[in-house]
C-alpha cells in the first residue's frame, strides 16, 4: 500500500470539493431577467395595459425558473443532467439464497443489540473464488452481470498500470483536464459522466463525524480459533458505546467469517462493498471490475441477506469507468475527506507509521472542531478494522469524538435511509425522512428494467436517496404552486386591465 500513502500526501493539497450547484446558474438567470425587466418598469406608469402585460411576462419568467429549479435534485452531490441512471436492483443475485438466521430489519433506536461470542457459521467456499485473489470472470453469475451492463454508458478510460512496487502509474494522464475524474490523480469526486452522482465524501452538516471502518470483517488470525482483536471486538465496543458506523467489507473476509457480517447487520451497523481482493480498481479490466463487485455483493447477500447500494474503492482508486460499472451494478461511490492513515501503523498487514502520528491527526481534528476553525462541513473519516492496532486506535478515540462531534454512520448524515435494495432495512437519518418517506426505487430484482423503472430509479437515485427524492417532490410541488400562483396573478391582471 506504499504508493497510496505517497499518493495521498502528494495530493493532499489538491482536495477538490466541487460545490458548483446548478441552482447557481438558475439564480443568475433570475437576476438577469429581473434586471432586464426592471429596465422597462417606468413604462407601466403611463400604460396600465403594458403594466399588466409585463406582469404576465414576469409571471411566465418566474414560473419557468421555478419549474426548472424544481427539477434540480435537492441534495448536494447530485448530477446536473437528467441522463439515464441505470441503477437497478441486481437481477443476477436474485437466485442467491441468504443463510438462515439473519435479521430482517434495523434494530429500533436504543434497543439492545447482540454482543459476545459469535455462532459458528460457514459458507460453502467451493461456490466462490479463492479469497484474496483477483476473481475469474467466466462464471455464469459474472457473465450475467456483465451482460446486464449498458457498456455504451461506460467511458473507455484506459486500464491503469502499476509499477513493480505496486504503485499506480500516472504517466500520460492529464491531471488538469482529468477527463475521467480519477481520484487517485486529482482527488476528483464529481464525475464527468453526466448520469453519475457525485461521490459521497463528507457529511454536509458541520460537527458531524461520519464513522467508517474499512477492510472487515476482521477475521481471527487463525481461522476457527479465538482472537481477542477479531470481530466481534470492535462491534461489541460500538454497542457498548451506543454507536453505529458504516462498514466497507472485503468479500474475501466475509466468505471466511460470515458470522461477523451477520452480527454487524444485527447490531444496526451499515454494510457496504469494498471489493473481493482489494486491488486498485482502475487496474482491473471491465470484466474484472464486474467480478470484484459481483463476488462481494454475492457473498454479502448470502451471509447477511442484504444487497448494498454503496461501495468504497480500495485506496480511493476510482475513475468514471469504475464508477459507471459500480453504479450500473447498483452502487454509489463513497470516499472520505479525512484519513487517519491508521492502516499504516505497525500490525498485521500494516506499515511503519507511528501511532503517535495517528493520535496527532485525531487530536488535530478534535481541536479544530473545539476552537471553531472546523465549521465548514462535517466529515467522513477513514478508519479500518484491519488489525489490533487499528481497532485499538478506534477504541481509544471514539469516546472523545463522541463528546466533540455528532458521530454517525455516513448514510445517516447524508439522509439516506435505505442503503440496501431490500425494503426491510430503513435506517435513521438526521432529517428523520425515514419516518414519512417511501422510496420510488425499483426494489425487486428485475432482469431488464423498463424505461419507466429506470426513470423511477433515476428519480430516486439522482437525489441520492429516498429523502432527497421526497424533497425533490416537495420542491416540484412548490414549483407547481408557483406556476399556479403566477397564472392566477396573470389572469387577474388580465381581467383588471382588460387584456
Ligand atoms: Zn481497504
Amino acid at each position: 500500500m506504499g504508493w497510496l500513502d505517497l499518493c495521498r500526501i502528494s495530493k493532499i493539497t489538491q482536495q477538490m470539493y466541487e460545490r458548483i450547484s446548478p441552482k447557481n446558474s438558475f439564480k443568475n438567470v433570475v437576476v438577469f431577467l429581473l434586471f432586464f425587466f426592471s429596465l422597462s418598469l417606468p413604462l407601466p406608469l403611463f400604460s396600465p395595459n403594458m403594466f399588466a402585460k409585463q406582469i404576465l411576462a414576469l409571471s411566465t419568467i418566474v414560473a419557468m425558473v421555478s419549474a426548472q429549479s424544481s427539477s434540480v435534485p435537492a441534495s448536494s452531490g447530485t448530477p446536473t443532467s437528467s441522463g439515464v441512471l441505470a441503477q437497478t436492483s441486481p437481477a443476477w443475485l436474485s437466485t442467491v439464497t441468504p443463510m438462515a438466521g439473519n435479521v430482517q430489519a434495523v434494530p429500533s433506536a436504543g434497543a439492545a443489540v447482540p454482543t459476545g461470542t459469535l455462532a459458528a457459521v460457514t459458507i460453502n467456499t467451493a461456490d466462490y473464488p479463492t479469497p484474496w485473489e483477483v476473481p475469474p470472470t467466466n462464471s455464469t453469475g459474472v457473465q450475467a452481470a456483465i451482460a446486464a451492463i449498458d457498456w455504451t454508458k461506460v467511458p473507455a478510460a484506459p486500464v491503469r498500470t502499476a509499477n513493480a512496487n505496486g504503485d499506480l502509474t500516472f504517466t500520460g494522464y492529464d491531471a488538469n483536464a482529468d477527463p475521467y475524474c480519477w481520484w487517485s490523480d486529482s482527488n476528483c469526486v464529481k464525475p464527468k459522466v453526466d448520469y453519475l452522482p457525485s461521490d459521497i465524501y463528507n457529511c454536509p452538516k458541520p460537527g458531524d463525524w461520519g464513522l467508517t471502518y474499512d477492510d472487515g470483517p476482521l477475521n481471527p488470525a487463525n481461522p476457527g480459533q479465538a482472537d481477542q482483536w477479531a470481530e466481534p471486538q470492535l462491534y461489541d465496543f460500538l454497542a457498548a458505546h451506543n454507536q453505529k458506523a458504516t462498514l466497507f467489507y472485503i468479500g474475501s473476509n466475509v466468505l471466511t467469517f460470515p458470522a461477523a457480517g451477520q452480527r454487524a447487520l444485527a447490531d444496526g451497523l451499515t454494510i457496504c462493498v469494498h471489493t473481493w481482493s482489494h486491488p486498485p480498481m482502475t487496474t482491473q479490466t471491465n470484466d474484472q471490475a464486474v467480478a470484484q463487485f459481483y463476488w462481494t455483493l454475492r457473498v454479502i447477500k448470502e451471509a447477511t441477506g442484504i444487497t448494498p447500494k454503496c461501495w468504497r474503492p480500495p485506496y480511493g482508486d476510482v475513475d468514471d469507468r469504475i464508477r459507471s460499472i459500480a453504479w450500473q451494478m447498483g452502487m454509489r461511490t463513497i470516499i472520505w475527506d479525512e484519513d487517519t492513515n491508521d492502516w499504516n501503523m505497525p500490525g498485521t498487514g500494516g506499515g511503519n507509521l507511528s501511532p503517535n502520528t495517528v493520535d496527532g491527526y485525531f487530536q488535530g481534528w478534535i481541536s479544530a472542531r473545539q476552537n471553531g476553525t472546523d465549521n465548514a462541513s462535517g466529515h467522513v473519516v477513514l478508519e479500518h478494522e484491519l488489525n489490533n492496532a487499528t481497532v485499538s486506535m478506534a477504541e481509544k478515540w471514539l469516546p472523545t469524538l463522541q463528546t466533540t462531534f455528532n458521530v454517525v454512520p455516513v448514510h445517516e448524515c447524508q439522509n439516506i435511509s435505505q442503503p440496501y435494495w431490500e425494503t426491510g432495512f430503513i435506517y435513521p437519518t438526521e432529517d428523520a425522512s425515514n419516518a414519512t418517506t417511501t422510496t420510488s426505487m425499483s426494489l425487486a430484482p428485475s432482469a431488464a428494467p423498463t424505461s419507466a423503472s429506470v426513470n423511477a430509479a433515476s428519480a430516486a437515485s439522482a437525489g441520492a436517496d429516498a429523502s432527497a427524492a421526497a424533497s425533490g417532490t416537495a420542491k416540484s410541488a412548490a414549483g407547481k404552486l408557483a406556476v399556479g400562483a403566477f397564472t392566477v396573478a396573470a389572469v387577474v391582471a388580465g381581467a383588471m386591465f382588460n387584456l
Side-chain angles (χ1 to χ4, degrees):
M1 289 193 253
W3 68 267
L4 166 69
D5 197 30
L6 289 173
C7 170
R8 284 190 189 138
I9 292 171
S10 65
K11 304 298 178 189
I12 197 73
T13 57
Q14 299 183 23
Q15 295 287 322
M16 301 198 322
Y17 301 140
E18 299 179 43
R19 299 173 186 282
I20 300 170
S21 165
K23 293 173 191 170
N24 290 341
S25 59
F26 287 124
K27 198 178 296 179
N28 292 339
V29 170
V30 173
V31 169
F32 173 78
L33 290 174
L34 288 178
F35 174 74
F36 181 78
F37 178 76
S38 69
L39 293 178
S40 58
L41 268 181
L43 288 175
L45 298 175
F46 306 100
S47 168
N49 277 5
M50 182 67 76
F51 180 51
K53 286 176 181 174
Q54 287 185 339
I55 288 179
L56 187 60
L58 179 61
S59 303
T60 305
I61 291 167
V62 172
M64 286 171 61
V65 171
S66 298
Q68 283 185 295
S69 294
S70 68
S71 69
V72 177
S75 73
S76 61
T78 51
T80 57
S81 133
S82 59
V84 174
L85 300 178
Q87 187 180 19
T88 62
S89 179
W92 25 264
L93 290 181
S94 59
T95 58
V96 176
T97 303
M99 300 169 67
N102 289 305
V103 297
Q104 303 297 314
V106 181
S108 55
V113 297
T115 56
T117 307
L118 292 168
V121 177
T122 56
I123 291 180
N124 185 5
T125 55
D127 293 341
Y128 287 87
T130 305
W132 290 99
E133 290 185 6
V134 172
T137 62
N138 58 358
S139 70
T140 302
V142 172
Q143 287 298 313
I146 291 171
I149 289 176
D150 181 349
W151 292 100
T152 67
K153 299 190 180 308
V154 177
V159 177
R160 306 297 168 188
T161 56
N163 64 21
N165 295 326
D167 300 340
L168 280 170
T169 303
F170 296 99
T171 308
Y173 188 73
D174 184 346
N176 291 321
D178 197 14
Y180 300 113
C181 188
W182 189 13
W183 189 92
S184 300
D185 201 31
S186 67
N187 287 148
C188 177
V189 293
K190 189 176 176 61
K192 304 293 173 66
V193 171
D194 62 3
Y195 67 83
L196 291 175
S198 288
D199 299 344
I200 290 171
Y201 58 88
N202 71 3
C203 288
K205 188 177 164 188
D208 280 353
W209 177 286
L211 186 64
T212 72
Y213 298 104
D214 285 16
D215 296 357
L218 177 51
N219 282 225
N222 299 301
Q225 297 182 25
D227 180 339
Q228 67 163 320
W229 291 109
E231 300 306 348
Q233 162 67 227
L234 178 62
Y235 304 163
D236 283 358
F237 183 87
L238 293 172
H241 290 76
N242 193 31
Q243 182 63 58
K244 309 301 185 191
T246 308
L247 310 175
F248 293 88
Y249 270 179
I250 294 172
S252 295
N253 282 344
V254 180
L255 179 69
T256 50
F257 203 15
Q262 294 182 334
R263 170 61 58 81
L265 193 67
D267 280 357
L269 308 176
T270 308
I271 296 172
C272 298
V273 163
H274 196 46
T275 77
W276 179 259
S277 63
H278 207 271
M281 284 295 281
T282 64
T283 67
Q284 303 288 284
T285 66
N286 287 349
D287 288 3
Q288 285 174 330
V290 172
Q292 290 278 351
F293 290 133
Y294 171 83
W295 289 112
T296 310
L297 284 163
R298 175 169 164 167
V299 76
I300 288 173
K301 181 171 182 180
E302 183 171 354
T304 68
I306 56 97
T307 310
K309 294 194 283 190
C310 45
W311 84 290
R312 172 177 278 170
Y315 321 106
D317 184 44
V318 65
D319 64 7
D320 280 353
R321 179 175 67 91
I322 300 299
R323 284 186 186 91
S324 301
I325 294 170
W327 181 254
Q328 292 200 47
M329 293 180 74
M331 295 175 289
R332 185 173 179 184
T333 304
I334 299 179
I335 304 281
W336 58 83
D337 73 337
E338 301 284 18
D339 186 352
T340 65
N341 275 311
D342 60 347
W343 64 269
N344 201 16
M345 295 186 297
T348 305
N352 298 307
L353 184 67
S354 167
N356 289 339
T357 303
V358 179
D359 284 334
Y361 296 150
F362 279 104
Q363 189 58 62
W365 293 323
I366 290 166
S367 297
R369 181 61 192 161
Q370 288 174 336
N371 67 24
T373 56
D374 172 24
N375 55 15
S377 74
H379 304 288
V380 169
V381 187
L382 174 57
E383 298 180 65
H384 290 81
E385 53 170 312
L386 177 65
N387 54 39
N388 62 334
T390 64
V391 172
S392 297
M393 187 61 76
E395 296 183 357
K396 176 180 181 179
W397 284 101
L398 182 63
T400 309
L401 294 171
Q402 286 180 319
T403 63
T404 311
F405 292 89
N406 177 37
V407 185
V408 292
V410 175
H411 292 84
E412 183 166 336
C413 80
Q414 288 279 344
N415 295 314
I416 299 172
S417 61
Q418 297 193 356
Y420 316 133
W421 286 103
E422 289 71 21
T423 56
F425 295 84
I426 302 177
Y427 285 77
T429 57
E430 287 192 353
D431 66 359
S433 58
N434 60 315
T436 56
T437 303
T438 57
T439 176
S440 60
M441 275 186 172
S442 171
L443 293 160
S446 58
T450 63
S451 59
S453 68
V454 168
N455 290 338
S458 300
S461 304
D465 60 290
S467 64
S471 178
T473 303
K475 285 176 67 78
S476 180
K480 286 173 183 168
L481 273 176
V483 173
F486 280 98
T487 302
V488 169
V491 169
V492 170
M496 284 176 65
F497 296 99
N498 194 29
L499 284 169

